[in-house]
């Protein structure tokens, strides 16, 4: 079996596009849902029957009965958070037994990674590490402090990378953790004399004890997910790959260095699951009807005024993972066309269109002005992107609320022409329009143009 049965759902902006809702909708048409990158930095909110579920590690597909879910080898897993999430799901009647599998090769986020994340951010903030890049320049990434970067760093540094399978191999685990603790202590004792460091988190005996205990509780789920996925594909299963964190945060193709530490575009599927990317025939690109970003880094269309504030309040733009207010801006079609290109997007889902009701004019960015010249090419490097000025096209808005609209034809003219602009500029059809948080507040458009 090839292509058509496999789908990817990918965020096209800086995250929080509403991928959780989309995965939840599409899960019913698939047999297996797989996470392949990131960790508990992601936060997918799904509202089912008025009940709100916030998922960080467990694939959103878990909320669809009968669907198997897989945390692939490219994910970094914090066992404490995973256990917490499993417990929270169980308490609300969602049983993960026999439905959730975790790769034995997924790397483990340990408590010292979280301390290291905070410490690195503090060093960047205070400029201690900034001497080489310009004194007084804060280089802070604004991470979610979930230990993501340090865990991926250990993975590629190799000797100190702990994998889920190691939680079931006490001797291997101990060797790696002892080495990691020695190295990290030496590094941070030299650098962080004034910073608050919880040195208990670097105590190898304690780290090993806790990790083994958590590993034991997860034992039944830890497996070779590469074989599991290929066997499922071999028996005709339809697999849905659930991207986390989104394209412009991709470590290679995003706004580096203000990115996350994994390949969060569709390009991460191969390395993050062991399933070659060419098996994915359908790539659903998810975008918000406007832009948001959390943390540092350039955002050409950012609105730091009353309009931005109004969008933030209407869209309840506060992080699912950290609660931070999100930065808000107009839709950036230049960035989106780049995201469609590198992901090979075959269809679009436009989320939160209802948030834009009531604005007289809607602006979309169709070019960047750089040194007196206008370009329609995205410039992913943060230093270059920080210098561009957006070129806008103004479109008529729509006054009426659209939260009860159920067909594309039922949308007011301003909303309809906004969608047409997006489709025309990106050259990709819109198949889903979300007009509210609930599953039912979704307009689906079939490939012949009608509602489905
Ligand atoms: P990290 O992934 O915690 O290292 O954070 C790196 C950057 O990515 C920070 O700017 C975070 O705010 C951002 N980030 C990571 N995951 C997400 C997400 O799921 N949504 C939005 N921003 C994210």
């Amino acid at each position: 079996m090839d292509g058509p049965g496999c789908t990817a759902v990918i965020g096209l902006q800086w995250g929080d596009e509403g991928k959780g809702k989309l995965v939840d909708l599409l899960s019913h048409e698939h047999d297996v849902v797989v996470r392949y990158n990131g960790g508990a930095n992601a936060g997918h909110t799904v509202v089912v029957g008025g009940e709100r579920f916030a998922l960080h590690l467990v694939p959103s597909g878990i909320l669809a009965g009968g669907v198997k879910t897989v945390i692939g080898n490219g994910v970094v897993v914090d066992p404490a958070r995973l256990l917490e999430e499993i417990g929270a799901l169980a308490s609300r009647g969602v049983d993960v037994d026999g439905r959730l599998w975790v790769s034995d090769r997924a790397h483990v986020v340990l408590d010292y990674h979280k301390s290291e994340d905070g410490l690195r951010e503090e060093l960047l903030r205070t400029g201690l590490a900034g001497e080489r890049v310009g004194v007084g320049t804060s280089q802070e990434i604004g991470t979610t402090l979930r230990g993501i970067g340090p865990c991926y760093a250990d993975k590629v540094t190799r000797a100190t990378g702990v994998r889920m399978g190691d939680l079931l191999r006490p001797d291997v685990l101990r060797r790696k953790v002892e080495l990691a603790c020695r190295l990290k202590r030496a590094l941070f004792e030299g650098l962080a004399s004034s910073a608050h460091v919880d040195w208990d988190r670097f105590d190898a005996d304690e780290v090993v004890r806790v990790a083994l205990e958590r590993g034991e509780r997860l034992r039944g789920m830890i497996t070779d997910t590469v074989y599991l996925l290929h066997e499922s594909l071999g028996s005709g299963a339809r697999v849905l790959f659930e991207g986390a964190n989104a394209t412009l945060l991709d470590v290679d193709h995003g706004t580096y260095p203000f990115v996350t530490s994994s390949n969060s575009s569709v390009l991460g599927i191969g390395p993050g699951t062991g399933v070659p990317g060419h098996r994915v025939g359908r790539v659903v690109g998810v975008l918000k009807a406007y832009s948001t970003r959390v943390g540092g880094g350039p955002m050409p269309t950012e609105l730091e005024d009353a309009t931005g504030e109004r969008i933030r309040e209407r869209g309840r733009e506060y992080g699912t993972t950290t609660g931070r207010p999100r930065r808000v801006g107009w839709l950036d079609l230049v960035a989106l066309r780049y995201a469609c290109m590198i992901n090979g997007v075959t269809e679009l889902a436009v989320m939160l269109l209802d948030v834009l009701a009531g604005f007289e004019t809607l602006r979309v960015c169709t070019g960047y002005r750089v040194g007196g010249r206008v370009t329609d090419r995205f410039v992913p490097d943060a230093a270059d992107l920080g210098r561009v000025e957006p070129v806008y096209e103004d479109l008529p808005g729509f006054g009426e609320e659209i939260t009860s609209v159920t067909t594309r034809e039922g949308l007011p003219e301003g909303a309809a022409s906004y969608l047409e602009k997006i489709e025309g500029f990106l050259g990709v059809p819109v198949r889903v329009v979300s007009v509210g948080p609930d599953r039912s507040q979704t307009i689906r458009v079939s490939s012949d143009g009608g509602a489905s």
Side-chain angles (χ1 to χ4, degrees):
M1 197 213 71
D2 216 18
C6 291
T7 305
V9 171
I10 306 291
L12 299 180
Q13 295 153 313
W14 283 285
D16 313 308
E17 293 90 351
K19 296 180 289 288
K21 173 171 175 177
L22 207 76
V23 171
D24 176 57
L25 285 171
L26 295 179
S27 292
H28 302 271
E29 301 159 17
H30 292 82
D31 306 295
V32 186
V33 179
V34 189
R35 271 279 303 268
Y36 61 88
N37 77 293
N41 52 353
H44 292 170
T45 310
V46 186
V47 180
V48 186
E51 245 200 295
R52 210 176 172 83
F53 291 84
L55 299 169
H56 298 282
L57 274 165
V58 177
S60 312
I62 201 73
L63 300 173
V67 172
K68 270 193 192 163
T69 58
V70 172
I71 296 179
N73 58 278
V75 176
V76 288
V77 179
D78 177 343
R81 287 209 170 258
L82 180 58
L83 284 163
E84 226 174 82
E85 219 164 288
I86 292 169
L89 284 165
S91 73
R92 297 166 84 177
V94 183
D95 193 6
V96 304
D97 242 14
R99 294 186 53 217
L100 173 65
W101 307 99
V102 185
S103 168
D104 55 358
R105 279 176 248 169
H107 277 250
V108 180
V109 178
L110 295 159
D111 282 348
Y112 54 64
H113 289 127
K114 289 178 255 182
S115 294
E116 202 177 331
D117 203 352
L119 223 50
R120 282 182 181 276
E121 285 285 86
E122 181 169 337
L123 293 172
L124 293 172
R125 188 165 48 244
T126 58
L128 253 179
E131 284 158 29
R132 262 170 291 147
V133 288
V135 180
T137 315
S138 172
Q139 301 293 311
E140 198 183 3
I141 309 283
T143 75
T144 58
L145 302 176
R146 295 287 160 95
I148 307 297
C151 182
Y152 277 116
D154 277 354
K155 171 178 175 172
V156 293
T157 332
R158 293 156 298 179
T160 49
V162 173
R163 312 207 281 186
M164 288 302 287
D166 296 335
L167 300 186
L168 312 176
R169 290 187 278 258
D171 48 336
V172 178
L173 177 70
R174 175 163 293 281
R175 211 169 46 239
K176 289 180 172 180
V177 169
E178 279 176 355
L179 181 60
C181 287
R182 273 216 306 283
L183 282 169
K184 288 173 196 293
R185 272 179 175 276
L187 180 67
F188 288 114
E189 273 167 0
L191 271 174
S193 50
S194 63
H196 295 292
V197 183
D198 184 356
W199 292 113
D200 287 350
R201 287 189 158 189
F202 296 84
D203 178 70
D205 286 341
E206 184 58 10
V207 174
V208 169
R209 187 187 68 74
V210 172
L212 287 175
E213 189 188 295
R214 291 175 179 154
E216 203 46 53
R217 291 170 64 194
L218 293 167
R219 179 183 284 275
M221 295 174 196
I222 302 174
T223 191
D224 183 332
T225 53
V226 175
Y227 272 103
L228 184 149
L229 286 172
H230 279 277
E231 280 159 12
S232 298
L233 286 166
S235 60
R238 299 156 304 170
V239 179
L240 177 61
F241 296 93
E242 173 177 347
N245 321 130
T247 305
L248 301 180
L249 293 171
D250 185 290
V251 66
D252 284 289
H253 302 288
T255 51
Y256 191 87
F258 297 97
V259 291
T260 190
S261 302
S262 64
N263 285 117
S264 43
S265 65
V266 89
L267 302 166
I269 291 177
T273 64
V275 174
H278 72 261
R279 298 198 72 153
V280 181
R282 179 180 178 200
V283 180
V284 184
V286 188
L287 62 130
K288 250 177 217 185
Y290 47 92
S291 306
T292 63
R293 173 162 210 170
V294 232
M299 179 181 177
T301 61
E302 183 165 11
L303 288 165
E304 293 176 277
D305 58 8
T307 305
E309 190 55 41
R310 193 164 148 208
I311 296 177
R312 183 178 303 110
E313 288 313 314
R314 280 187 61 86
R316 283 176 301 211
E317 292 295 352
Y318 297 88
T320 333
T321 303
T322 59
R324 291 180 286 181
R326 296 179 183 138
R327 298 158 63 193
V328 168
W330 293 120
L331 194 67
D332 185 341
L333 290 174
V334 177
L336 281 167
R337 188 149 62 186
Y338 164 82
C340 286
M341 176 177 78
I342 66 167
N343 287 306
V345 171
T346 58
E347 61 190 87
L348 298 169
V350 179
M351 315 304 279
L352 291 130
L353 185 61
D354 53 301
V355 172
L356 295 184
F359 289 88
E360 201 171 313
T361 302
L362 299 174
R363 309 195 92 181
V364 291
C365 169
T366 54
Y368 291 158
R369 187 168 286 108
V370 198
R373 215 171 50 82
V374 174
T375 177
D376 63 0
R377 284 175 79 135
F378 188 60
V379 277
D381 188 275
D384 295 334
L385 189 64
R387 282 186 214 108
V388 309
E389 261 179 63
V391 176
Y392 287 116
E393 201 173 307
D394 287 350
L395 304 172
F398 48 101
E400 49 280 65
E401 295 294 344
I402 56 170
T403 49
S404 316
V405 176
T406 54
T407 62
R408 187 162 175 175
E409 296 66 42
L411 287 169
E413 206 175 303
S417 61
Y418 193 70
L419 293 177
E420 275 158 28
K421 179 76 202 175
I422 294 171
E423 282 179 323
F425 198 92
L426 303 182
V428 184
V430 171
R431 292 272 181 261
V432 171
V433 183
S434 178
V435 292
D438 204 80
R439 249 185 208 167
S440 62
Q441 292 172 298
T442 311
I443 301 170
R444 294 186 77 169
V445 185
S446 68
S447 48
D448 61 13
S452 64

